[in-house]
């Protein structure tokens, strides 16, 4: 299987995106996603990046997949990033300008 190695700058831009979202969450959503980790969890679930686990009693629970470099190549990460942008503009900060969000993440990454 041929894969494309991950782009560290793109990975950093993703976490800059999460920071921008956290800094701009509407008050109504701030309690729902109080931390970056919770926001990342939500994005993994909403983009389908999880496996189902059947716990004792056969209860099905989603287990988010890792986005670590070893677990996701660049092509998959590109799609994940794009899918996350879509979820953010539609459900997490409804009405935010997608291009403005992308630009804010690109600007924020320079502070890392």
């Amino acid at each position: 299987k041929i894969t494309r190695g991950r782009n560290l700058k793109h990975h950093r831009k993703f976490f800059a995106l999460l920071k921008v979202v956290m800094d701009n969450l509407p008050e109504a959503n701030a309690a729902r996603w109080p931390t970056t980790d919770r926001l990342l969890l939500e994005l993994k679930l909403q983009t389908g990046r999880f496996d189902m686990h059947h716990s004792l009693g056969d209860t099905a629970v989603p287990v988010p997949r890792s986005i670590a470099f070893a677990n996701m190549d660049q092509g998959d990460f590109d799609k994940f990033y794009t899918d996350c942008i879509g979820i953010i503009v539609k459900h997490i900060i409804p009405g935010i300008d997608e291009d403005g969000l992308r630009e804010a993440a690109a600007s924020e990454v320079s502070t890392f």
Side-chain angles (χ1 to χ4, degrees), residues 13-106:
K13 186 166 81 170
F14 176 71
F15 282 92
L17 171 70
L18 295 181
K19 181 180 181 328
V20 168
V21 171
M22 293 300 296
D23 290 345
N24 291 282
L25 273 177
E27 193 171 318
N29 287 341
R32 179 176 278 172
W33 302 293
T35 66
T36 302
D37 287 339
R38 290 291 177 108
L39 177 61
L40 176 57
L41 171 68
E42 182 71 26
L43 290 170
K44 288 177 180 180
L45 294 173
Q46 293 301 318
T47 60
R49 303 294 195 273
F50 62 88
D51 297 311
M52 293 304 293
H53 168 76
H54 292 275
S55 65
L56 293 175
D58 207 31
T59 302
V61 293
V63 177
R65 293 182 199 137
S66 171
I67 62 168
F69 281 59
N71 297 319
M72 181 182 275
D73 72 10
Q74 186 60 43
D76 290 338
F77 191 75
D78 288 342
K79 180 166 180 11
F80 176 67
Y81 186 87
T82 299
D83 292 348
C84 287
I85 294 279
I87 296 298
I88 291 164
V89 301
K90 187 171 183 180
H91 300 288
I92 295 177
I93 308 178
I96 193 168
D97 177 66
E98 183 175 330
D99 291 334
L101 179 62
R102 289 177 183 274
E103 288 173 21

